[in-house]
Amino acid sequence: MAYTTNTQPALRSLVHELPAYAAGRRATDATIAALASNESHYDPLPSVLDVVDTAARRMNRYPDSAALALRTGIAAALGVVPEEVVVGPGSLGVLQQIIAAVCDPGDEIVFAWRSFEAYPVLASLAAARSVMVPLAADESHDLEAMAAAVTERTKVILVCTPNNPTGATVKHGRMSEFLDSVPAHVLVVIDEAYVEFVAEKEALDALALFRAHPNVCVLRTFSKAHGLAGLRVGFAVAHTELADGLRRVGLPFAVTALAQEAALASLQATRELHERVALVVAERDRVADALRRAGWAVIAGQANFVWLRADDTLRELIVDHLERNDILVRGYRGDGVRISLADGPTNDHVIAALGDRSSFEAAR
Ligand SMILES: *Cc1c(COP(=O)(O)O)cnc(C)c1O
């Protein structure tokens, strides 16, 4: 047998070429406002902490690999059946399962750009090709261009609404028309990581579209509104054949018992969650208004952050200036700055630091 001449184990070339996922910077101490990762700014709910505490006492045991209690709870809350619910280590974990289940190397995944940074990473990991369709001028998904980008190799279309990092949404009517124009064998994944924060008319009803279309799958997470980002749990609502495939490709025991029980308890804390979400939504409108008065162009985003479109010079000025004011935000090369919302005083600090836009323009 012939051996290679490598002197050490080699990585696949695909691994060298993977785009790195740039996580939002973490605050190193409590005086710094960590507004770079769209996390919940609130402490965990006491009822959720209690069940995690109890579950922690059984951590010598494996979790329920089928996550049946959680799937049953999610199904009851959403009006689907447990067979149509797949949980995973974050909705990102579930998305990786989706791609692993439906994409062969060289297949195409269509998504808007700029959108969630993890999409091209997951596509590359599966040796699938990312087909990135530029956002429209008003920050919305250009659904016509996305439909036109479908080829014989297209297996998945990702629609992120509200879109990370812009906060723009796809309205129900537009999505419905779009689905009518997409071939039936292409899986359309609606990523609704921020759905709880949507407060607009004609909002997308993704579950209704799931019921009406055999090629629709919905992704949701406990990381954002539910405030469980550190526990890693998200889920897909998928038709049974796909759901079954997703469970087969997932790692056994990937969602810990702590995460399963916390998620279930969080689902039951509807009132507290609604209160928290309502505060974020009110702050979102207040911050957006204040920034508009200061000369910034801010769209009516529907997530837990605000978006400032900016060229690279302006982006660097904003990110550096906020950092000097102990505020960590997320800059995107060529696109702009995303600022997660927090409590009133922290948001006021952001508004004050952004002062008025003309002083940034003058500093160019
Ligand atoms: C934060 C986010 C997710 C959720 O990630 P988890 O893996 O569930 O923490 C998924 N999609 C988008 C667009 C996000 O912004």
Side-chain angles (χ1 to χ4, degrees), residues 45 196 225 269-281:
L45 292 171
E196 293 88 350
T270 357
R271 192 178 48 81
E272 290 96 322
L273 270 166
H274 280 159
E275 282 168 12
R276 290 180 164 197
V277 166
L279 288 171
V280 173
V281 169

Side-chain angles (χ1 to χ4, degrees), residues 7-45:
T7 55
Q8 58 183 28
L11 295 171
R12 296 163 69 197
S13 59
L14 176 154
V15 176
H16 288 293
E17 285 151 23
L18 278 182
Y21 178 82
R25 293 178 50 207
R26 295 160 58 84
T28 45
D29 74 67
T31 62
I32 295 176
L35 308 183
S37 299
N38 296 344
E39 295 148 330
S40 169
H41 192 71
Y42 300 103
D43 291 335
L45 292 171

Side-chain angles (χ1 to χ4, degrees), residues 284-364:
R284 180 177 72 206
D285 295 345
R286 186 181 74 85
V287 172
D289 277 347
L291 293 179
R292 283 184 202 117
R293 278 198 300 277
W296 301 94
V298 181
I299 62 163
Q302 296 292 306
N304 64 347
F305 50 81
V306 290
W307 170 245
L308 302 179
R309 171 119 344 238
D311 62 24
D312 285 335
T313 310
L314 182 58
R315 168 181 58 81
E316 281 179 27
L317 285 170
I318 296 170
V319 172
D320 291 349
H321 179 71
L322 291 178
E323 197 169 318
R324 280 196 299 278
N325 283 277
D326 291 332
I327 300 166
L328 290 184
V329 298
R330 188 62 184 280
Y332 295 89
R333 192 178 298 272
D335 286 302
V337 181
R338 188 194 70 195
I339 307 170
S340 307
L341 291 158
D343 56 5
T346 310
N347 295 336
D348 281 340
H349 189 37
V350 171
I351 293 168
L354 286 172
D356 87 90
R357 183 182 166 124
S358 52
S359 61
F360 285 84
E361 293 296 346
R364 274 172 182 279

Side-chain angles (χ1 to χ4, degrees), residues 89-93 116 119 160 164 191 193-194 221 223-224 232-234:
S91 52
L92 210 43
F116 190 28
Y119 296 159
C160 186
N164 178 5
D191 184 344
Y194 303 95
T221 181
S223 296
K224 306 287 160 60
R232 314 303 306 126
V233 52

